[in-house]
Amino acid sequence: MVDEVDVLVAGGGPAGIAAAVSAARAGCRTLLVERYNHLGGLWTGGLVLPLLSTHGVDRHQNQVQVIQGIGQEVWERLKEIDMSIYEVNPVIDPEAAKYVLEVMLKEAGVQVYYHSWVANVLVEQETIRAMILETKSGRVAVLPKMVVDCTGDGDVLSLAGEPFRQMNYDIGLVHRLGNVDRVNREAPGYREMDLGGETPIPSVNWVNMTGTGHEDGLDFKKLSELQRNYRIRVWEQVKKIREVPGHEEIFLLDTASQLGVRMSRILDGMYSLSLKDSMTYKRFDDCIGISGAWISVLYDGTSVKWDKRPLWQIPYSSLVPRNTRNLLVAGRCFSFHEELFQDARVIGTCLITGHGAGAAAAVSVRKGTSVRDTDVPAIRKLLLEQHAYLG
């Protein structure tokens, strides 16, 4: 055993960051476990740079900023150092975000174990007694009072024996291009090429990749195959761009250090949010946050554009597993219907669910209750104190 903590957060992506900061600021001894060498998950290491979705439409058809609390604090800190562009669904710089997130965790007093992978859990009487981590120092155990699964793939909930659904979807590999401001549009033979989208650094663009469809994000052999194929594809694609007149100075700046797995496990929790919930302003007494939309959808036979879609509430019960007494789930693996996955999986929703889970974990530790029996009004009170938006 290497540590005993109040709250252990598995995964240092947007959900994990918000959960850890919230719990630590509420007075909990908090440990964040991250398998890579950086914070931010796919937002930074995956180069998925847009902060979606910052806004939604209220009942009066007004655009409302729903990303508040810890998520807004991250955004504001990035704006202060000129590393965020756009006022709706901003695009950020990944290295700046890694720095900002590191500072926020340090300020909050969160302990971070990098290069550590959740290998197993010890469950007794429906309670996680120990988290087993695989490290370069060998296998070690941490004893937590509360656990928040922010792994994205639902690794902890699966190891704990919680029911889940698996959704296969597109897996890609994002990259960045340099010298995009040096394209010579006056060059003989010039033609426009797809150079991706702009970032806070004028000479750098980010280029998304849809990738092959409906892949299993939990199959390590498939992930290995895709990693090789995509890296070769990206290099050869950039080579073709450089061969087009006017683009000779373009270069491949970097490829994402994390493969772009968009979906895998989804918790079958106490409540599963539906697309209908998100389109009908459904209200929940246990609302712990509100998210927005970034993609147009077909709903009830009508195409609804992203900027006309309602803001939608996220209930605490969608973070709560059916069995384990001291486990909460946040990020893209919390409980929702597959038809809502495009909005449930993005960075903004991860920040919101993470913030809610971190606050709930802190309240449960403080009151000595299980996640199902905890004081929901106290959770909402703490979230409001931490400037979350609850409508």
Side-chain angles (χ1 to χ4, degrees):
M1 188 269 288
V2 295
D3 221 336
E4 293 185 57
V5 297
D6 294 325
V7 178
L8 186 152
V9 178
I17 294 298
V21 170
S22 176
R25 287 180 178 175
C28 291
R29 183 165 185 236
T30 304
L31 169 66
L32 186 146
V33 175
E34 169 54 48
R35 63 172 170 160
Y36 291 108
N37 69 344
H38 60 269
L39 301 173
L42 285 171
W43 196 19
T44 57
L47 299 178
V48 184
L49 305 183
L51 172 49
L52 306 172
S53 306
T54 57
H55 289 68
V57 176
D58 66 14
R59 290 180 180 273
H60 304 291
Q61 301 305 301
N62 297 317
Q63 282 276 345
V64 176
Q65 181 182 317
V66 294
I67 299 294
Q68 298 185 32
I70 292 170
Q72 182 175 4
E73 184 179 339
V74 176
W75 182 11
E76 292 293 339
R77 291 193 184 205
L78 286 166
K79 284 197 278 189
E80 287 172 3
I81 58 175
D82 297 322
M83 286 293 135
S84 172
I85 54 175
Y86 313 141
E87 288 303 312
V88 176
N89 297 338
V91 173
I92 58 93
D93 177 78
E95 293 304 319
K98 290 175 187 177
Y99 161 74
V100 165
L101 297 175
E102 201 75 69
V103 169
M104 287 181 64
L105 260 65
K106 184 177 180 181
E107 290 174 348
V110 177
Q111 173 71 47
V112 181
Y113 288 170
Y114 290 111
H115 312 291
S116 302
W117 196 305
V118 176
N120 211 337
V121 300
L122 175 61
V123 179
E124 294 178 347
Q125 297 178 327
E126 298 185 329
T127 302
I128 295 176
R129 302 298 184 188
M131 299 281 289
I132 312 302
L133 310 180
E134 195 72 70
T135 76
K136 289 295 289 184
S137 304
R139 284 200 165 185
V140 298
V142 177
L143 310 185
K145 293 178 182 175
M146 294 294 303
V147 178
V148 185
D149 185 349
C150 299
T151 60
D153 291 322
D155 293 338
V156 179
L157 71 89
S158 174
L159 290 168
E162 289 294 337
F164 63 86
R165 303 180 306 281
Q166 181 173 340
M167 180 179 179
N168 294 349
Y169 193 61
D170 304 343
I171 297 175
L173 181 67
V174 183
H175 66 278
R176 290 192 295 174
L177 298 175
N179 282 348
V180 295
D181 56 342
R182 297 188 184 185
V183 172
N184 180 10
R185 291 172 174 77
E186 306 301 321
Y190 167 83
R191 68 179 188 276
E192 189 171 341
M193 301 295 290
D194 180 9
L195 302 181
E198 63 181 348
T199 75
I201 301 176
S203 61
V204 175
N205 276 12
W206 76 288
V207 185
N208 201 4
M209 177 194 284
T210 301
T212 56
H214 301 286
E215 296 286 6
D216 183 352
L218 303 176
D219 182 341
F220 81 98
K221 290 185 178 180
K222 173 55 69 173
L223 295 177
S224 300
E225 175 190 342
L226 293 177
Q227 186 74 67
R228 168 186 286 173
N229 293 344
Y230 289 165
R231 198 175 301 284
I232 293 171
R233 182 195 302 183
V234 168
W235 182 267
E236 293 179 347
Q237 177 179 319
V238 175
K239 181 175 181 290
K240 290 179 180 178
I241 291 174
R242 288 169 53 86
E243 292 171 352
V244 175
H247 295 81
E248 293 84 357
E249 294 193 61
I250 292 289
F251 70 95
L252 177 62
L253 177 62
D254 56 2
T255 56
S257 56
Q258 294 181 223
L259 198 61
V261 176
R262 291 173 169 93
M263 289 303 305
S264 54
R265 296 186 186 95
I266 305 172
L267 173 70
D268 181 11
M270 298 300 293
Y271 185 84
S272 290
L273 272 169
S274 68
L275 179 63
K276 182 178 179 180
D277 293 339
S278 76
M279 297 297 291
T280 56
Y281 296 101
K282 182 165 182 176
R283 298 185 63 83
F284 298 93
D285 292 337
D286 63 342
C287 170
I288 51 82
I290 296 175
S291 194
W294 69 279
I295 193 169
S296 301
V297 297
L298 184 66
Y299 177 71
D300 203 19
T302 302
S303 178
V304 184
K305 286 190 171 183
W306 71 270
D307 57 352
K308 301 297 182 183
R309 290 184 56 195
L311 48 78
W312 48 283
Q313 293 192 354
I314 301 172
Y316 172 65
S317 53
S318 66
L319 312 181
V320 180
R322 294 183 178 274
N323 304 308
T324 313
R325 296 173 54 83
N326 64 336
L327 174 65
L328 291 165
V329 178
R332 71 168 189 253
C333 51
F334 82 105
S335 187
F336 56 86
H337 293 184
E338 290 185 9
E339 59 189 1
L340 187 61
F341 85 99
Q342 293 285 21
D343 298 301
R345 69 182 175 85
V346 291
I347 306 301
T349 309
C350 290
L351 286 164
I352 292 164
T353 55
H355 192 173
V363 169
S364 296
V365 167
R366 184 186 304 163
K367 293 182 176 287
T369 63
S370 74
V371 294
R372 292 195 297 278
D373 300 325
T374 197
D375 187 342
V376 172
I379 295 170
R380 287 169 52 84
K381 181 175 182 292
L382 176 57
L383 286 167
L384 290 172
E385 290 171 356
Q386 295 181 344
H387 308 294
Y389 177 58
L390 303 182

